[in-house]
Amino acid sequence: MPPPPLPKTPYTSCYCEENIYLLAQAFLGNPDVSRHWEIFVVFISNSSKSVALWNQKRALEQDLPVVWDYHVVLLLGPREEFQHPTRDMTRTATASVDAEDKSNKVWIYDCDTRLPLPCVLEDYMFSTFMDVPPHYERIIPGDVFLKQFASDRSHMLVAEDDGAVSQASDQAWTDLKYIAPPPSYEPIRGTSAVEKGVVNNLMSSFVDMASSERTFGHVIDKAAMSTRM
């Protein structure tokens, strides 16, 4: 079967992690999708928090990249491929697919791309990344992301001192402003995050590409993904 169309979920510019959370939630809650497709959330970043992506809607010119500190997309693959007993999650998420059959392809949903939505994984990788500088992908099962993710949106707050914008880590929230308007709904906290008392783990558990006891999913680089396509 062909990949599902993009559902009508809320979209907020510059809040890709929340856009993808709501998209994953919609797909996992739809039996027609979850029965046939495996759902992963993919965080894209590196140690310098500087990743160049081409064909983004916010690019100043069509042939210029947008440089994000991180970006988040959704990966959708046929369930029979993901459940193959000889493959682990990371290998399956980057598996090669039959170019003649849409039901066997792996698809990327990027709410900020100019490319088709969804886009075949190979086409997305080729048209989006030129690795200046290199980047990595943290691949998380969709259900794990929905349970564990939490963000208080503090990474989008800044303080303005003498006309200069600085990071707002130690500032009182009443003295801060958002660098981009936040979503109209309340900040997201997954059920497991709520149970653990976690208010914000966006950077430490998902954007950080170093593995630790706080992180979720598996990290691979572009070369590893490209060799398995």
Side-chain angles (χ1 to χ4, degrees):
M1 62 182 298
L6 187 70
K8 293 182 179 179
T9 54
Y11 169 84
T12 308
S13 179
C14 299
Y15 290 82
C16 56
E17 67 280 357
E18 298 196 31
N19 296 331
I20 294 300
Y21 186 100
L22 297 176
L23 178 57
Q25 189 177 59
F27 280 161
L28 284 165
N30 184 342
D32 291 335
V33 177
S34 59
R35 183 168 53 248
H36 298 286
W37 300 91
E38 194 73 21
I39 298 157
F40 291 92
V41 172
V42 182
F43 277 74
I44 303 160
S45 191
N46 55 23
S47 59
S48 63
K49 301 293 188 295
S50 180
V51 181
L53 283 77
W54 275 257
N55 286 302
Q56 292 281 288
K57 294 175 183 175
R58 290 181 65 87
L60 297 178
E61 296 183 20
Q62 190 166 355
D63 59 345
L64 293 179
V66 171
V67 179
W68 299 109
D69 50 352
Y70 66 93
H71 193 50
V72 189
V73 301
L74 185 140
L75 184 150
L76 201 70
R79 182 167 287 279
E80 60 272 17
E81 290 289 326
F82 285 82
Q83 293 181 341
H84 193 287
T86 63
R87 293 180 178 172
D88 61 24
M89 183 274 290
T90 303
R91 284 186 58 83
T92 305
T94 58
S96 54
V97 293
D98 183 353
E100 299 301 321
D101 187 354
K102 286 187 176 182
S103 67
N104 286 334
K105 286 183 177 294
V106 177
W107 300 86
I108 293 291
Y109 291 75
D110 179 353
C111 299
D112 299 292
T113 188
R114 291 188 180 127
L115 300 173
L117 188 58
C119 186
V120 176
L121 174 63
E122 296 95 325
D123 297 340
Y124 181 82
M125 295 293 292
F126 178 81
S127 300
T128 302
F129 300 109
M130 297 186 185
D131 263 7
V132 188
H135 73 273
Y136 300 87
E137 289 97 7
R138 178 176 293 283
I139 304 175
I140 309 125
D143 58 338
V144 173
F145 182 62
L146 293 189
K147 293 175 183 177
Q148 301 292 347
F149 174 77
S151 175
D152 59 6
R153 301 171 183 158
S154 57
H155 66 294
M156 296 295 286
L157 290 168
V158 294
E160 203 166 352
D161 299 315
D162 299 325
V165 177
S166 60
Q167 288 297 324
S169 56
D170 297 321
Q171 299 286 336
W173 280 51
T174 54
D175 299 329
L176 307 176
K177 68 176 183 178
Y178 286 99
I179 57 177
S184 57
Y185 52 83
E186 291 297 313
I188 294 172
R189 294 175 69 198
T191 54
S192 294
V194 171
E195 291 172 0
K196 297 174 184 177
V198 175
V199 176
N200 185 24
N201 61 7
L202 167 62
M203 294 297 177
S204 61
S205 296
F206 298 100
V207 175
D208 189 352
M209 292 293 119
S211 296
S212 74
E213 61 183 15
R214 299 181 301 175
T215 57
F216 299 96
H218 294 74
V219 175
I220 61 174
D221 60 17
K222 183 190 174 215
M225 178 170 279
S226 297
T227 57
R228 291 168 177 161
M229 289 194 305

